[in-house]
Amino acid sequence: SPLQKRNGTCQKTKVAILGAGTAGITAAQALSNASVTDFLIVEYNSVIGGRVAHTAFGAKNQSYTVELGANWVQGTFTPGGPVNPIWILAELSNLTNTYSNYSSIETFNQNGAVDFTDLIDDYEGDPYSTVEQDAGYILSDNLQDRSFRSGLSLAGWKPGNDMEAQAVEWWEFDWEYGQSPELSSQEFAIVNYNTTFYQYSDANNYVFDSRGFNAFIRGEASTFLTANDPRLLLNTIVTNVSYSDKGVTVYNKDGSCVEADYAICTFSLGVLQNDAVTFSPAFPSWKQMGIETFSMATYTKIFLQFPPDEVFWNTSYQFFLYADPNERGYYPVWQSLDSPGFLPGSGIIFVTVVQDQSYVVENQDDATTKAQVLDVLRDMFGAENVPEPIAFMYPRWSLEPWAYGSYSNWPPGTSLEMHENLRANIGRLYFAGEATSTEYYGFLHGAWFEGQAVGTEIADCLKGNCTGEVHYNVLHGTTPPREYDIENGWDVTSFQTNGF
Ligand SMILES: Cc1cc2nc3c(=O)[nH]c(=O)nc-3n(C[C@H](O)[C@H](O)[C@H](O)COP(=O)(O)OP(=O)(O)OC[C@H]3O[C@@H](n4cnc5c(N)ncnc54)[C@H](O)[C@@H]3O)c2cc1C
């Protein structure tokens, strides 16, 4: 076979790390810390960072660095409490950032500014705390999980066709999870929120550094990789991974290959779901089920720059929430970068869509999207006030062959055991990344913790202490509370009050 033919020329290493995003670089660091220096990192792109990616944006001589992917350190620290590892790295790299003030928000419908911020208070009051409490019972009493939508309805939050309430719900939920309450687990959405924001703090700090947010990953890498380190293979696209109990061989598009004792696959859930890389042998059914059960959300930021002297929004606000009369989630959340503490004078504002609207936007051309967002802005701020933008741009995450989406989410009714099947190793092939994080899925710190854990585990394996990770051939509908342990990726209790 062609695979065997190339076999003779493979580069040999102890550990092949597939992907140089947060999880891959952190796994390499964990190996280095354990004195394992014989590894190779294989990366599709020409730079490290993965889904922490930036670009220059703006008209000639008015260009700024904007983040296409991750933008916030979410949950920073509470004095005396645990510190988010991403916050530590952001501080080490001196990343420029500002606290996002979610109360700094002005609300709009198709007729312009109209104050419906009271609905935000309504959502955050009784309904949300009931959903939270019920999620706790689902977990501790081993009950069946359900959709976040059912949880909200049971708690009395029923926006129905009140489009302003729908917009508020989108701001509270979809904007974070990248998917609707219908598509999300009540139990694990609450776990995900609590372990981040109640453990560290409720702060979201927005990073807008001219070097790019991924300077923190480059900073981390520089502690164990030299400039042009031969162990980092950039611009190298993995096409096949052949694995067994004895080792792993990685085949690349350029015909090169890597033969390793162990491999750590950090490809996104989207990459795994889209069969962008083939695995030999095909995954056992427990693993394939784990991969297909979880979902990959898409989150698209659409950037506009206006002539700085013609900025028409009130720059004392950070956020503008738009309730479209017909379509929930239609260009709903706008963020001003031309605001104090961010990039005053930049003329930049951006709007976010997720999921179905992301698919539409990412499949249509820039001109169509630009016309749509300008229509919305003109409804919000008055047609006469909104000039033509001088720059316009957005990434297309659902179409990126090295990501196929933005970050993972848990659908209703799945279980910790099912997630463990997504997470667990098969023979000498291990998995790490945002999606394998049980509690911090979707977050940078989730990717960091998973990289750290698997790197450490493989270093132990190389020293002869190999236990492997559990998986479940037979799944039970729910997961008994006693299994919420480190073996199943459960590091901290989700019942916390630290950050508040
Ligand atoms: C739009 C957006 C907004 C986000 N906002 C936030 C936020 O504000 N805060 C937050 O904490 N998190 C946020 N996230 C999530 C965060 O970016 C991810 O959790 C994290 O970056 C994932 O890291 P990872 O190492 O698991 O995966 P990745 O960063 O995807 O790393 C995997 C690497 O594998 C490489 N790869 C893929 N396929 C191949 C192949 N065939 N061959 C070789 N290499 C390959 C990729 O190029 C990539 O570098 C956001 C993500 C997106 C996309």
Side-chain angles (χ1 to χ4, degrees):
S1 81
L3 296 185
Q4 256 153 7
K5 213 160 64 199
R6 290 183 299 189
N7 227 0
T9 62
C10 288
Q11 236 181 303
K12 292 203 172 36
T13 188
K14 281 209 170 89
V15 188
I17 300 169
L18 313 183
T22 308
I25 293 299
T26 306
Q29 180 171 44
L31 289 168
S32 299
N33 290 350
S35 306
V36 178
T37 53
D38 180 3
F39 55 77
L40 286 173
I41 309 174
V42 188
E43 169 56 45
Y44 188 113
N45 288 307
S46 59
V47 288
I48 67 173
R51 282 172 271 167
V52 195
H54 57 274
T55 189
F57 172 69
K60 205 162 171 251
N61 300 325
Q62 302 176 66
S63 174
Y64 296 83
T65 301
V66 294
E67 296 298 330
L68 304 166
N71 227 150
W72 283 272
V73 182
Q74 304 197 261
T76 53
F77 71 101
T78 305
V83 185
N84 182 333
I86 305 300
W87 181 250
I88 296 175
L89 292 168
E91 296 252 275
L92 278 172
S93 294
N94 277 316
L95 282 179
T96 312
N97 67 88
T98 296
Y99 169 75
S100 273
N101 180 1
Y102 290 177
S103 306
S104 177
I105 185 166
E106 193 181 14
T107 52
F108 293 78
N109 66 17
Q110 75 278 16
N111 301 316
V114 41
D115 185 5
F116 53 88
T117 49
D118 55 319
L119 293 171
I120 296 179
D121 300 331
D122 288 354
Y123 179 100
E124 291 177 355
D126 281 346
Y128 189 77
S129 49
T130 302
V131 171
E132 236 177 0
Q133 248 172 26
D134 287 350
Y137 293 130
I138 292 173
L139 194 159
S140 55
D141 297 351
N142 195 18
L143 306 177
Q144 176 64 54
D145 180 35
R146 58 188 170 225
S147 73
F148 207 88
R149 166 67 63 219
S150 327
L152 284 171
S153 299
L154 286 165
W157 171 263
K158 299 184 180 186
N161 54 15
D162 175 345
M163 297 312 279
E164 291 169 357
Q166 292 277 9
V168 162
E169 183 186 281
W170 196 99
W171 153 260
E172 296 278 353
F173 194 88
D174 304 40
W175 192 50
E176 181 60 53
Y177 297 93
Q179 292 193 321
S180 66
E182 282 77 4
L183 295 180
S184 306
S185 155
Q186 175 176 0
E187 179 180 359
F188 292 98
I190 293 293
V191 162
N192 187 251
Y193 186 92
N194 289 9
T195 52
T196 289
F197 296 110
Y198 288 167
Q199 180 181 195
Y200 299 122
S201 75
D202 67 343
N204 286 286
N205 279 43
Y206 185 90
V207 176
F208 57 105
D209 196 287
S210 59
R211 296 163 296 163
F213 192 172
N214 65 24
F216 88 82
I217 308 177
R218 286 179 273 134
E220 186 184 10
S222 71
T223 63
F224 60 90
L225 289 180
T226 57
N228 305 316
D229 199 304
R231 293 173 299 171
L232 176 60
L233 310 174
L234 295 169
N235 299 309
T236 307
I237 303 176
V238 175
T239 52
N240 173 271
V241 179
S242 298
Y243 62 94
S244 73
D245 289 339
K246 304 208 165 55
V248 181
T249 307
V250 179
Y251 297 95
N252 306 319
K253 197 172 172 190
D254 62 9
S256 65
C257 52
V258 174
E259 230 172 70
D261 292 349
Y262 292 88
I264 306 173
C265 175
T266 73
F267 301 156
S268 76
L269 180 59
V271 168
L272 296 176
Q273 289 180 337
N274 279 279
D275 305 319
V277 178
T278 57
F279 290 85
S280 316
F283 287 145
S285 62
W286 61 264
K287 172 57 87 181
Q288 198 60 33
M289 222 186 299
I291 290 169
E292 305 297 357
T293 296
F294 294 87
S295 38
M296 190 70 176
T298 300
Y299 181 106
T300 316
K301 292 182 269 190
I302 302 163
F303 294 88
L304 298 97
Q305 185 181 45
F306 289 94
D309 56 353
E310 289 180 64
V311 160
F312 49 86
W313 60 92
N314 181 343
T315 56
S316 65
Y317 286 106
Q318 293 183 13
F319 297 100
F320 308 96
L321 178 63
Y322 169 67
D324 187 80
N326 305 311
E327 189 178 325
R328 181 184 183 281
Y330 190 76
Y331 303 118
V333 172
W334 297 77
Q335 285 173 256
S336 170
L337 289 184
D338 195 332
S339 290
F342 295 88
L343 299 166
S346 65
I348 298 175
I349 191 166
F350 67 98
V351 61
T352 300
V353 291
V354 302
Q355 204 53 20
D356 292 357
Q357 282 97 354
S358 281
Y359 296 150
V360 171
V361 158
E362 295 192 1
N363 278 307
Q364 69 194 14
D365 61 16
D366 280 24
T368 308
T369 306
K370 187 169 155 182
Q372 291 174 344
V373 298
L374 283 174
D375 274 351
V376 168
L377 279 176
R378 287 175 177 146
D379 283 348
M380 292 168 73
F381 294 97
E384 66 287 3
N385 297 320
V386 180
E388 278 300 298
I390 53 176
F392 181 81
M393 178 276 300
Y394 60 95
R396 287 174 165 80
W397 284 104
S398 64
L399 304 175
E400 282 297 347
W402 55 271
Y404 285 116
S406 299
Y407 48 85
S408 67
N409 188 32
W410 287 43
T414 192
S415 66
L416 182 63
E417 289 186 353
M418 180 64 97
H419 184 262
E420 194 48 37
N421 285 351
L422 170 63
R423 189 167 179 264
N425 65 300
I426 322 175
R428 292 200 168 182
L429 176 61
Y430 284 71
F431 296 84
E434 153 284 295
T436 68
S437 173
T438 308
E439 301 190 270
Y440 315 109
Y441 62 85
F443 291 120
L444 284 167
H445 45 285
W448 189 92
F449 278 115
E450 290 296 289
Q452 168 77 22
V454 171
T456 308
E457 199 172 328
I458 290 179
D460 287 346
C461 283
L462 289 167
K463 291 178 193 129
N465 285 324
C466 212
T467 46
E469 293 160 349
V470 287
H471 69 260
Y472 299 88
N473 288 311
V474 177
L475 286 156
H476 311 98
T478 60
T479 302
R482 67 183 140 75
E483 282 178 20
Y484 285 78
D485 57 11
I486 195 99
E487 205 178 45
N488 285 295
W490 199 263
D491 289 328
V492 298
T493 171
S494 54
F495 297 91
Q496 307 207 31
T497 51
N498 236 344
F500 273 58

